[in-house]
Amino acid sequence: MRILVVNPFGDTESHAQDNLAAISRSDTQFDVVNISDYYPLRNNQWLYFRYMCTDGTLEKIIWAEKQGYDAVFISCNLDIGLYEARQLVDIPVTATLESAVLIAHMMGSSYSLLPVDDQNGKIQQMMLKNYGLYDHFVSQRSFGIDANDLYPDQTPSGEVIEAVVEAARKCVEEDGAEVVIPACTLAGSILTHDLDDAESVIGAPVLDGMITGFKMAEMMADLHISGIPSVSRRGWFQKPPVKDFKTLRDFLDRSV
């Protein structure tokens, strides 16, 4: 099995390769790429930035299908281009927030998000409502470190862990969260890499969306290989008309 992991911003999560290698199946090969050739920033936490990341992300996903990948995992809690990609390609496409929250629904009756800041959390709440996964959401508490500063060359991992743990404990102790989701893959990957037992420290399970999204990609690829389509083409994920799609791709000087 081959999976393409796309970081939909202009850099790569510091621990992506190590963390995913530790949990991937023995028969799974994966490559981690970013969209620095389309988008220059190391973060995408604002609405305009999120919009500007989408095109480059979709180009990577279209390319992945042509290259024979079995699935794509979009590694970012803003799930950049997820629904658009599912309209365009037939291989499974998973993403971080959707996968983590789906798993949280199976693990407990309530969950909280830990975004980098409050506006970013509001974007993710909007996404949860669109996914139909908002009912079990109980709170968001930002940990107050800008995504640009979550890289090891900017902020020591210990400071990130301290901030995330403090916010997470409040979600559990004050808001009643049974599951906690770090709402930025850069933060979640640090916890996975450097905190041996997050549950005992925080008081509830902590879902690293990079791990759940990648494992969901493996599962969806298995289902796809067994003959189950990755999406229904009846409505929401109906493909665009071939003629219009070709016209647009030709206009953009991009091969179909």
Side-chain angles (χ1 to χ4, degrees), residues 8-9 35 39 43-44 49-57 80:
F9 39 85
I35 60 166
Y39 180 86
N43 73 327
N44 57 14
F49 293 0
R50 179 175 182 250
Y51 172 79
M52 293 303 293
C53 286
T54 303
D55 181 59
T57 302
I80 305 292

Side-chain angles (χ1 to χ4, degrees), residues 30-105:
F30 67 91
D31 299 300
V32 182
V33 300
N34 60 48
I35 60 166
S36 58
D37 45 348
Y38 293 92
Y39 180 86
L41 302 176
R42 302 176 90 187
N43 73 327
N44 57 14
Q45 70 212 61
W46 308 92
L47 280 168
Y48 176 60
F49 293 0
R50 179 175 182 250
Y51 172 79
M52 293 303 293
C53 286
T54 303
D55 181 59
T57 302
L58 294 176
E59 289 301 316
K60 295 292 185 184
I61 294 169
I62 292 171
W63 174 85
E65 184 174 51
K66 291 180 180 178
Q67 295 301 311
Y69 284 91
D70 297 294
V72 175
F73 164 49
I74 303 167
S75 187
C76 171
N77 271 78
L78 290 179
D79 293 3
I80 305 292
L82 175 62
Y83 275 19
E84 293 88 345
R86 286 175 176 166
Q87 283 194 338
L88 298 179
V89 299
D90 292 319
I91 59 174
V93 182
T94 66
T96 308
L97 182 65
E98 182 191 55
S99 297
V101 175
L102 284 169
I103 298 300
H105 271 239

Side-chain angles (χ1 to χ4, degrees), residues 84 87-89 233 237-245:
E84 293 88 345
Q87 283 194 338
L88 298 179
V89 299
R233 297 295 183 198
F237 296 123
Q238 181 179 0
K239 283 190 173 184
V242 173
K243 180 180 177 181
D244 290 346
F245 181 72

Side-chain angles (χ1 to χ4, degrees), residues 27 36 76 82 108 119 122 125 155 163 168 172 196 222:
D27 64 338
S36 58
C76 171
L82 175 62
Q119 73 82 30
K122 299 244 181 236
Q125 287 186 53
T155 305
V172 175
D196 290 336
D222 279 339

Side-chain angles (χ1 to χ4, degrees), residues 15 19 152 156-158 160-161 187-198:
H15 302 303
N19 289 353
S157 295
V160 175
I161 292 172
S189 66
I190 290 172
L191 263 66
T192 294
H193 191 265
D194 293 338
L195 191 61
D196 290 336
D197 188 357

Side-chain angles (χ1 to χ4, degrees), residues 103-117:
I103 298 300
H105 271 239
M106 291 191 288
M107 293 178 64
S109 65
S110 60
Y111 68 92
S112 292
L113 297 181
L114 306 171
V116 295
D117 56 37

